[in-house]
Amino acid sequence: MAPFWADLLEEQCTSTGRAFVTAGADGAIGSSLAIERGARGAQPALTTRDPARLAKAAKIHQGAATALFDAYAPNSCARAVHTCAAALGELDAVITAFGTVVFGTTQAVDDATAEHLSGT
């Protein structure tokens, strides 16, 4: 059975030549999305904030466009999208595959994690 998100991306990112950016391509979901869409003929672009992890993702996705970005820096996000669009000639979709997940009670969450989750 395909992951729940596979159907959501079917039209935008599966046709040969369709171009998309995966923000957070160094994670399990982002990397899986890039592999899945690339196998169906789409052109992936990979973005993440860590240069070493971006280099590792680029080795997995040979020939993919790449750009560094930090979700907390809006100018960085815009620059990454423009860089990837220039490399691919166009963009058909941007996929967001990053974030923070916390399991447990609110009392168990430390202050730094709570601050990160609240965006303050």
Side-chain angles (χ1 to χ4, degrees):
M1 177 177 215
F4 74 92
W5 41 259
D7 290 338
L8 298 174
L9 301 175
E10 194 64 33
E11 186 174 324
Q12 285 79 20
C13 302
T14 56
S15 300
T16 298
R18 292 286 189 142
F20 68 97
V21 172
T22 300
D26 59 330
I29 294 173
S31 183
S32 294
L33 284 165
I35 290 169
E36 170 75 18
R37 300 301 104 188
R40 294 176 182 238
Q43 299 174 345
L46 314 173
T47 65
T48 188
R49 67 180 169 188
D50 182 283
R53 291 181 68 156
L54 182 60
K56 184 177 177 182
K59 285 182 182 177
I60 295 168
H61 306 285
Q62 294 287 321
T66 61
L68 289 171
F69 94 107
D70 185 338
Y72 290 110
N75 290 338
S76 170
C77 297
R79 185 176 57 250
V81 168
H82 290 293
T83 297
C84 292
L88 298 175
E90 67 177 355
L91 287 178
D92 297 300
V94 176
I95 301 165
T96 303
F98 62 87
T100 301
V101 178
V102 176
F103 298 97
T105 64
T106 54
Q107 294 82 8
V109 175
D110 62 61
D111 290 341
T113 301
E115 182 177 320
H116 180 75
L117 290 172
S118 68
T120 58

